[in-house]
Amino acid sequence: MDFQAFHARFEQACVEVQAPKTRVAGERTITSLLSLPNTLPLCKYIIEHTSNDGTTYQAVSLLMTSATREYALHPRAEMHALLDWLLDLAVARFETQEPFARNRMLQAVAVIFKRGYLEEGVKEKEAFFGRLTSLIGGQRGERLVALSTFAALIGELSSDRATAMGLAYDHHLKSRMLFEEQELRSVFQVVVQLLQHLLRDGLKREERADIELLATCLAIADDILSWDFVNSGDNALQGSFKTERHGQNKQSGRFPASWRDLIIRPDVIDLFFELHYALQIERGLANRTRECLSSLAGVHGPILESIDGNGRVTEDDASQRAYIAHILRNFLKFIVHFVATTPFDSQTDFEPELVGITSMSTKIISTYRLRVIAAVPEFTHFLNELAKLTITCYKSNADAGEDWVVWTQEEGDQLLDIWARLIEQMEEYSEEQAALVTTGQQTQHFDFEGLSKFLAMAAFHIFETYVDTRLEAAQQEVDDVTDNDSIKDDFVYEDQLIAVGIIARLDTARCIAKLQNLIADRLSRIQKLFNEGGPEASELSGIYEELHWLALFSGHILATPGRGETPQVPRAVLALSCSTPSLQHSFGASAGGPAILDFVLSMIQKNFVIWHGQEDLLMQIVSLLSTFSKSLPVRDALLSSEKFQSLIGFFLENLGRLPASVHSPLIENIAVIATHSSAADVRSHYFNNLTGAIEKRLLSVIHNPQFHQNYQRAEIIDHIISTMEVYSGLVLAADEGNTREIFAAVSKYFDTFVRLLDLYRNHTEVEKYVLQIFANLIRCQSFEELTDADCQGLYEAVLALLKTYSKNSVGRKRIARAGDEDELFEDLSCILEILAQLMASQYEGMAWNEILEKRKNSGTTDVADIVFFGINTVIPLITDDMLKFPELSRDYISLVGNLVRYFPDKLFSLPPPLLASLVRALEFGQHAAMAEIARGALETVTTLALYAWDSTARTADESIEFLSPHLDHLMQKCFAMFLFDEFDSGLLEAGGEAIFALVLARTVSKPLLSIIVQNARLTSRSFKQSYGAMTHHLVNQQAQPALAQRLGSALSALHNVIMETVRDPDNADRLRAGRVEGIVSGPWIVPYRKQLEAVLMDVRGFLRVK
């Protein structure tokens, strides 16, 4: 091989890589060298003879790839010599080489060393790390080379930054675990000793080499102190390469007990505080010291645990208190100095220090139990300084006006969260102690009463400051014409409002009194402005904005946020209410309740008039009506109120003025109230009036003689859409108590709705709302309350609807406007929902025999006829690309799931391409980003496979052979997902059940149930062609015989436990009972789940490669 010629060619390729036009050609030339045999000597030649750092970088990269790929082909002594050569070269070129080229060399050292790490003996490892340690004792260049190598090793052996080298996950994991156990402590010790030495000798910040040395030391210390130690018991899905960015989702700070003598030491804590003080003016270095201090503030785990007299692991409270006390003593000096010397203005760069303080404070409060930190003498002093800082953050921004500093606000909000966490810990501790009183085990760890009084005082001042500054900011927002009203305050400031509510409830009476005074003051201002001859709009806007915020504060104090659940009244508020006059006595039904209700109804109507264009506000009013509808006494009070009857008329007359999104929920709540009166005559009166008004609205348009000439006019279309929304709201109100009334009111216009669908075939909005009526009707009706004639009428209407939709969909092209992609397939989603809900409404909750019996007794129009007509019509319209839209994908999977549950015996009637499309949707659904879709797809696969197994096991039915290739395909995809892919561990149960069913279905194809029960023979032809064939293929893919045997044994064990499970006749019956829902559950399935977990733990590690 002509090394000189190759060198020249390589140099030219490196030049070409720098230019956009020739980059591809240059990269192709460089990578082509990997096809040459034994490229290591060539790479070394180029590195030795080039003077260009860019060429060095590329050649080292090539050498690193070649060395890891060909590692097994070279003697270990040669690899050891290669590592020494790279280290020597990095030292020799230290003064002349750019850092990027040198660091690439040292990364190559780390990667090559990791490649052979598990194969090296103790002596070889000691020799390698001994060499690095000896370099630490040399000149600055040698020190930096050694430290940079340590940094590269840490990067390669951390959880998420490893270089891909074609090795199994097992290799990466075991190397990392071994490095944690054997070397990581030593590296940290070396770095700490070097930092102590540098600090003792005096830091020379003017010298570049010293700065680089310090930066590398601190980077290593930071990485180690934030290390995410391996815990093999955390996840059954062994072999999951992490894809998140470094630093996210990490359990940093949890150290093993063996690290106690390295970290739980006052001198180590003092070292990093002293380094921070010395390096504060060096922003990059100071950021590192802050990160290290933050990590030290959150140290926990076995490092701070002990063994009691019974050999049990317990938290070592005494050690924790001593440790956190020393941190707090240093930290207090830090905070006091920061607050005293920082001007908190926009010209001062105080953000990093403030962020560091909030980060450390968060770690302290969230890491250690209250019984530990509250018993530390310095804790109250720490909280006092933290309260001062919190107040200062908000006051400084209020005083700054237009020069407010964004990070002061952000860190103030972070401090609010710290206070809220601490208060919640106080509440939890109080509950724990109260529970222990009955057992006689109550222990007073600290002065709870004294801390409570202090926190109540601090909480009020923090609350007061936040409210005052927020009200000042509200005035500024009114003047800011760029304020975006579409982003609501209760959403943007949700976390802060929740925290403020928690803080305020520590001194509920005082904080509520403050709000009452503020609200009364604003209301008196409004009254005064009107009394003086009419206010200016700007003055009113400012006061209204303040009242808006005061209302938000009040709501978050008086109730918990709920977050998807019904908000609750906190105990502190309940306790305060007990000391006040009874609300029931003052405002109950026998007192002023009816008058108050009439007043509320009047205010609702007035607000609808004033704010008819404000969707969010109107939805809040609708939410209030929804609350009314849930209480029988309130419903009866409404229906006996003339104000409510007037309000209904007002709503119906003014629907056109209200946002479209309000129509349906508004009518739904009115209908719920009207149909649930305890008096039959009142109920009939209100419901007839309501439906009469709705019918009048519909007929006023469609019976107009000019309708067919004017139906495409915008105002007519808007009227039709709002009317369809009203009908949707009406059917959404249906339940078992009012189904007959609502169905009768809607069903008389089924034909009209179908004609409207046909008439407005080119108006997707009208089409969508017509379809939604049927979808909502089928979903909400209680079908057991309907007569057979009612059901037949609905089935015939749905069939006519589908035929009309099918006719109108021929040749339709779907083009979405930018930002409206989610609305592109709403009509298809409605059709899918109609079909899925129609099946569920008839058969949900039934056993298979009951389903078959009900299908035999169907009327002239069968649900199956409708469903299969719809499937043959709609499914061909849905492409694979459409399934990328979550809503459509969810509805599609729901439809396929119900089809497989209730009509598996009719799948053979589907055209083969259509059946293949359904199966492909299940495959797509397994990998959906939404867990709901993926779980639904896997449950459907389970149902389908169990149906196939049951059919062959009971009757040796060969008619299901058409499913065999589809089941084989699904089985291969499920195993591929489990063995090779990254997937959500929350799907482990559903996916495991699918594999159980598929293996069962594709192991036995023709034997009778008796054979399965008696001896579970596995010699069928189907086994050799399906599960056996798949297993054989997977095993033969393994290049190493040992791994092939390991995989084969694991899959065989999994198969055996499945067959052992179904050998029990009771278990076989349980499988059939759970088949319709696609769920395999119960204690009898536990052995299989344990075996599946064992298989995943065993084989994913070497099957997944990086």
Side-chain angles (χ1 to χ4, degrees):
M1 184 183 295
D2 187 349
F3 282 7
Q4 189 172 2
F6 274 109
H7 179 200
R9 180 181 170 193
F10 193 86
E11 291 275 10
Q12 179 59 34
C14 290
V15 173
E16 292 172 352
V17 166
Q18 304 302 315
K21 291 183 178 180
T22 57
R23 179 175 295 128
V24 174
E27 290 174 347
R28 189 181 299 117
T29 299
I30 292 171
T31 55
S32 68
L33 296 182
L34 286 173
S35 62
L36 299 174
N38 192 15
T39 55
L40 290 183
L42 173 60
C43 293
K44 289 179 65 177
Y45 178 88
I46 295 173
I47 294 168
E48 287 175 336
H49 289 83
T50 187
S51 59
N52 185 289
D53 286 337
T55 302
T56 299
Y57 182 93
Q58 295 289 352
V60 169
S61 300
L62 196 65
L63 178 142
M64 180 169 64
T65 303
S66 179
T68 53
R69 187 184 65 177
E70 301 173 1
Y71 189 90
L73 304 178
H74 296 272
R76 288 189 187 175
E78 185 178 336
M79 291 291 101
H80 297 161
L82 178 61
L83 295 178
D84 287 337
W85 176 77
L86 286 168
L87 287 172
D88 291 338
L89 196 61
V91 171
R93 295 182 178 180
F94 180 80
E95 298 296 340
T96 60
Q97 195 169 51
E98 288 294 326
F100 79 90
R102 180 175 69 245
N103 289 338
R104 191 61 167 173
M105 275 188 191
L106 301 178
Q107 185 186 8
V109 170
V111 171
I112 296 168
F113 179 76
K114 178 185 174 181
R115 171 59 184 84
Y117 189 61
L118 297 181
E119 303 167 23
E120 298 289 4
V122 175
K123 290 184 178 179
E124 289 83 357
K125 292 176 184 175
E126 287 179 350
F128 177 76
F129 283 100
R131 170 77 193 280
L132 295 178
T133 304
S134 67
L135 289 174
I136 293 289
Q139 300 299 315
R140 283 196 177 91
E142 293 173 307
R143 287 182 180 180
L144 194 54
V145 166
L147 288 170
S148 298
T149 306
F150 281 142
L153 281 168
I154 287 171
E156 287 299 325
L157 290 157
S158 63
S159 61
D160 55 356
R161 291 182 290 172
T163 298
M165 57 177 70
L167 292 177
Y169 177 84
D170 264 3
H171 186 99
H172 292 275
L173 180 65
K174 290 177 180 177
S175 297
R176 181 180 166 207
M177 292 177 68
L178 200 60
F179 181 73
E180 289 176 1
E181 294 170 6
Q182 296 181 354
E183 272 79 47
L184 192 60
R185 291 177 73 256
S186 300
V187 174
F188 183 71
Q189 192 169 19
V190 167
V191 169
V192 167
Q193 289 172 352
L194 185 54
L195 286 170
Q196 289 172 333
H197 172 75
L198 291 170
L199 190 61
R200 186 170 58 249
D201 287 357
L203 303 175
K204 301 183 178 67
R205 292 192 298 269
E206 65 278 2
E207 296 188 17
R208 175 191 165 193
D210 274 10
I211 290 295
E212 196 172 354
L213 191 65
L214 270 170
T216 308
C217 280
L218 290 172
I220 295 171
D222 182 14
D223 282 345
I224 295 176
L225 288 172
S226 61
W227 189 272
D228 184 12
F229 283 85
V230 173
N231 185 347
S232 59
D234 282 347
N235 186 3
L237 297 182
Q238 193 77 252
S240 297
F241 291 110
K242 293 188 178 179
T243 56
E244 68 269 10
R245 291 186 294 113
H246 181 59
Q248 289 184 337
N249 302 322
K250 294 179 64 175
Q251 297 296 319
S252 59
R254 192 178 192 279
F255 283 86
S258 59
W259 284 72
R260 188 162 187 153
D261 61 331
L262 287 180
I263 292 180
I264 310 303
R265 290 166 37 187
D267 62 317
V268 172
I269 297 170
D270 294 343
L271 168 66
F272 284 97
F273 272 104
E274 289 173 17
L275 283 168
H276 183 68
Y277 291 134
L279 298 172
Q280 274 182 307
I281 62 173
E282 297 287 345
R283 180 158 185 164
L285 298 178
N287 285 340
R288 285 291 190 183
T289 57
R290 272 187 293 269
E291 289 296 325
C292 291
L293 289 171
S294 180
S295 296
L296 287 170
V299 168
H300 65 285
I303 193 173
L304 286 170
E305 293 173 349
S306 60
I307 308 296
D308 66 12
N310 297 319
R312 294 174 301 186
V313 176
T314 62
E315 292 190 22
D316 188 347
D317 285 5
S319 295
Q320 289 185 35
R321 288 191 189 104
Y323 177 75
I324 202 64
H326 195 78
I327 284 184
L328 283 179
R329 281 192 288 273
N330 283 276
F331 192 30
L332 272 170
K333 298 175 187 175
F334 185 17
I335 299 175
V336 170
H337 179 266
F338 173 75
V339 174
T341 60
T342 304
F344 289 92
D345 55 34
S346 58
Q347 286 74 43
T348 306
D349 183 18
F350 59 88
E351 175 195 8
E353 293 290 79
L354 182 57
V355 171
I357 290 171
T358 56
S359 176
M360 284 190 69
S361 301
T362 301
K363 288 285 184 71
I364 291 169
I365 298 298
S366 61
T367 301
Y368 302 99
R369 292 180 182 272
L370 186 66
R371 68 169 191 256
V372 172
I373 52 176
V376 174
E378 293 80 5
F379 186 59
T380 304
H381 187 190
F382 161 67
L383 291 181
N384 189 51
E385 295 302 322
L386 208 61
K388 291 179 183 177
L389 181 60
T390 307
I391 292 169
T392 300
C393 282
Y394 287 117
K395 280 190 172 180
S396 64
N397 264 350
D399 297 339
E402 295 181 357
D403 295 328
W404 71 285
V405 184
V406 65
W407 57 76
T408 309
Q409 176 75 41
E410 291 174 353
E411 297 311 307
D413 295 344
Q414 184 67 26
L415 289 168
L416 273 187
D417 186 61
I418 293 172
W419 287 103
R421 288 190 196 183
L422 179 60
I423 292 167
E424 288 177 332
Q425 287 185 38
M426 289 286 287
E427 293 173 354
E428 291 168 5
Y429 181 83
S430 178
E431 291 173 6
E432 290 172 4
Q433 293 300 304
L436 289 173
V437 168
T438 57
T439 64
Q441 298 177 350
Q442 185 182 23
T443 303
Q444 192 69 30
H445 300 95
F446 59 93
D447 182 5
F448 181 82
E449 185 177 349
L451 182 59
S452 297
K453 290 180 179 177
F454 170 81
L455 285 176
M457 178 184 64
F460 176 75
H461 290 306
I462 292 169
F463 171 78
E464 183 178 45
T465 302
Y466 186 84
V467 170
D468 290 344
T469 55
R470 178 47 59 195
L471 294 180
E472 290 184 34
Q475 286 291 345
Q476 295 176 15
E477 289 168 4
V478 169
D479 298 333
D480 184 3
V481 295
T482 64
D483 184 38
N484 187 358
D485 288 335
S486 65
I487 304 177
K488 302 304 175 185
D489 294 324
D490 55 350
F491 173 76
V492 175
Y493 296 96
E494 180 185 23
D495 292 339
Q496 294 91 307
L497 288 167
I498 292 171
V500 165
I502 293 170
I503 292 168
R505 287 194 290 271
L506 204 58
D507 192 349
T508 314
R510 199 173 175 192
C511 291
I512 289 179
K514 176 177 175 62
L515 291 180
Q516 287 176 323
N517 291 335
L518 290 171
I519 292 171
D521 174 74
R522 270 55 179 184
L523 292 176
S524 67
R525 287 192 205 173
I526 293 175
Q527 185 68 43
K528 182 179 179 181
L529 288 172
F530 277 100
N531 290 340
E532 292 176 350
E536 294 289 333
S538 60
E539 291 180 282
L540 271 183
S541 296
I543 298 175
Y544 284 153
E545 184 69 17
E546 290 180 334
L547 284 171
H548 159 72
W549 276 102
L550 291 170
L552 287 178
F553 292 138
S554 301
H556 282 80
I557 294 174
L558 297 175
T560 59
R563 284 185 169 170
E565 301 178 359
T566 303
Q568 301 293 320
V569 178
R571 278 175 297 183
V573 177
L574 287 173
L576 181 64
S577 299
C578 292
S579 63
T580 63
S582 168
L583 294 176
Q584 178 71 19
H585 176 75
S586 302
F587 305 111
S590 60
I596 292 174
L597 188 61
D598 281 349
F599 172 76
V600 171
L601 295 174
S602 297
M603 293 304 298
I604 286 176
Q605 183 166 337
K606 288 179 181 179
N607 276 282
F608 260 92
V609 172
I610 297 172
W611 305 106
H612 60 82
Q614 296 294 320
E615 180 179 339
D616 281 2
L617 180 59
L618 296 183
M619 289 304 294
Q620 289 293 323
I621 297 175
V622 170
S623 178
L624 177 61
L625 290 175
S626 176
T627 303
F628 288 165
S629 73
K630 292 177 174 60
S631 169
L632 178 59
V634 176
R635 289 199 301 264
D636 285 347
L638 285 171
L639 295 173
S640 62
S641 167
E642 293 183 2
K643 290 281 187 183
F644 184 64
Q645 188 166 1
S646 171
L647 185 64
I648 293 176
F650 166 77
F651 285 149
L652 294 174
E653 291 170 6
N654 291 275
L655 273 178
R657 299 177 62 194
L658 305 179
S661 60
V662 176
H663 298 169
S664 182
L666 178 62
I667 297 302
E668 177 188 355
N669 283 293
I670 292 175
V672 169
I673 294 170
T675 58
H676 287 81
S677 170
S678 56
D681 56 336
V682 174
R683 170 182 178 144
S684 175
H685 169 73
Y686 264 92
F687 187 72
N688 289 337
N689 283 350
L690 175 64
T691 54
I694 295 174
E695 288 178 11
K696 181 180 179 181
R697 182 177 182 81
L698 174 66
L699 299 178
S700 67
V701 174
I702 63 174
H703 285 178
N704 188 310
Q706 303 299 317
F707 175 61
H708 284 277
Q709 286 75 38
N710 300 330
Y711 75 94
Q712 296 207 48
R713 290 173 56 181
E715 63 271 21
I716 301 296
I717 292 174
D718 289 343
H719 188 94
I720 291 292
I721 288 175
S722 65
T723 304
M724 295 302 100
E725 286 181 303
V726 167
Y727 272 103
S728 273
L730 184 62
V731 300
L732 283 170
D735 57 30
E736 60 184 14
N738 60 21
T739 278
R740 293 179 183 177
E741 296 162 283
I742 290 178
F743 185 86
V746 177
S747 60
K748 66 175 72 174
Y749 294 108
F750 280 166
D751 291 343
T752 300
F753 297 149
V754 173
R755 288 197 298 272
L756 286 172
L757 184 77
D758 190 27
L759 182 65
Y760 286 101
R761 66 181 68 91
N762 296 320
H763 294 272
T764 56
E765 282 291 294
V766 177
E767 186 179 58
K768 176 185 72 175
Y769 286 110
V770 170
L771 293 172
Q772 277 183 352
I773 294 174
F774 285 89
N776 293 339
L777 178 70
I778 295 169
R779 185 175 69 253
C780 298
Q781 290 292 299
S782 296
F783 277 80
E784 59 273 14
E785 300 294 328
L786 300 178
T787 65
D788 290 342
D790 289 337
C791 292
Q792 283 298 306
L794 175 62
Y795 300 157
E796 291 168 4
V798 171
L799 190 58
L801 186 84
L802 293 173
K803 288 179 179 178
T804 302
Y805 180 84
S806 173
K807 177 192 69 174
N808 295 341
S809 296
V810 175
R812 173 178 292 179
K813 294 183 179 179
R814 298 176 182 271
I815 302 174
R817 298 185 300 272
D820 294 338
E821 291 84 356
D822 290 341
E823 301 176 5
L824 187 59
F825 307 113
E826 286 182 331
D827 58 327
L828 282 173
S829 284
C830 281
I831 292 289
L832 295 175
E833 184 182 359
I834 287 170
L835 296 173
Q837 291 295 335
L838 196 60
M839 288 186 277
S841 69
Q842 298 301 306
Y843 306 117
E844 191 169 35
M846 290 185 175
W848 179 237
N849 290 337
E850 295 172 325
I851 292 172
L852 291 176
E853 185 65 26
K854 184 167 185 177
R855 282 167 47 184
K856 287 179 184 177
N857 299 325
S858 60
T860 54
T861 303
D862 186 7
V863 169
D865 298 332
I866 302 171
V867 169
F868 277 84
F869 176 84
I871 286 172
N872 280 280
T873 299
V874 177
I875 299 304
L877 302 177
I878 301 175
T879 65
D880 291 350
D881 286 340
M882 290 182 184
L883 293 180
K884 296 175 183 177
F885 292 85
E887 295 298 322
L888 184 65
S889 179
R890 183 194 62 196
D891 292 332
Y892 194 172
I893 295 299
S894 176
L895 171 64
V896 177
N898 283 354
L899 181 67
V900 171
R901 285 186 185 93
Y902 308 127
F903 298 103
D905 53 328
K906 290 183 175 289
L907 293 175
F908 72 90
S909 66
L910 294 175
L914 185 56
L915 180 60
S917 178
L918 296 179
V919 172
R920 197 162 57 248
L922 292 179
E923 178 189 342
F924 181 89
Q926 292 174 22
H927 299 279
M930 290 177 62
E932 173 194 359
I933 296 174
R935 188 173 292 106
L938 290 167
E939 289 174 358
T940 302
V941 170
T942 302
T943 298
L944 184 63
L946 288 179
Y947 167 73
W949 163 75
D950 190 21
S951 298
T952 54
R954 278 183 179 276
T955 62
D957 184 1
E958 296 188 8
S959 65
I960 63 136
E961 284 297 320
F962 74 97
L963 287 176
S964 296
H966 300 297
L967 292 173
D968 286 344
H969 179 75
L970 289 170
M971 181 169 61
Q972 292 166 9
K973 293 300 180 182
C974 280
F975 267 96
M977 179 179 74
F978 264 65
L979 297 178
F980 302 106
D981 297 344
E982 193 78 35
F983 77 101
D984 183 356
S985 59
L987 299 174
L988 182 59
E989 188 171 303
E993 292 170 4
I995 283 183
F996 182 99
L998 287 164
V999 171
L1000 193 59
R1002 299 307 295 139
T1003 295
V1004 286
S1005 177
K1006 297 181 180 179
L1008 296 174
L1009 175 63
S1010 59
I1011 297 177
I1012 299 174
V1013 171
Q1014 292 171 13
N1015 54 25
R1017 291 176 183 168
L1018 310 177
T1019 58
S1020 68
R1021 173 176 58 85
S1022 179
F1023 171 72
K1024 296 175 183 177
Q1025 294 177 348
S1026 54
Y1027 181 73
M1030 184 198 72
T1031 301
H1032 183 73
H1033 176 70
L1034 287 173
V1035 170
N1036 285 346
Q1037 283 183 322
Q1038 305 307 308
Q1040 300 181 35
L1043 296 183
Q1045 182 178 3
R1046 189 170 156 191
L1047 177 59
S1049 298
L1051 293 177
S1052 177
L1054 186 67
H1055 178 270
N1056 290 341
V1057 78
I1058 292 173
M1059 302 313 298
E1060 183 66 28
T1061 300
V1062 297
R1063 181 175 295 170
D1064 185 334
D1066 292 337
N1067 290 344
D1069 289 340
R1070 292 185 183 103
L1071 277 174
R1072 293 186 182 90
R1075 172 175 72 73
V1076 174
E1077 297 304 322
I1079 297 175
V1080 182
S1081 62
W1084 59 277
I1085 201 69
V1086 170
Y1088 161 73
R1089 287 182 175 153
K1090 289 183 176 178
Q1091 185 61 49
L1092 176 63
E1093 184 172 320
V1095 168
L1096 296 179
M1097 292 290 288
D1098 183 32
V1099 305
R1100 266 178 68 94
F1102 66 79
L1103 290 176
R1104 303 204 71 222
V1105 173
K1106 181 176 180 180

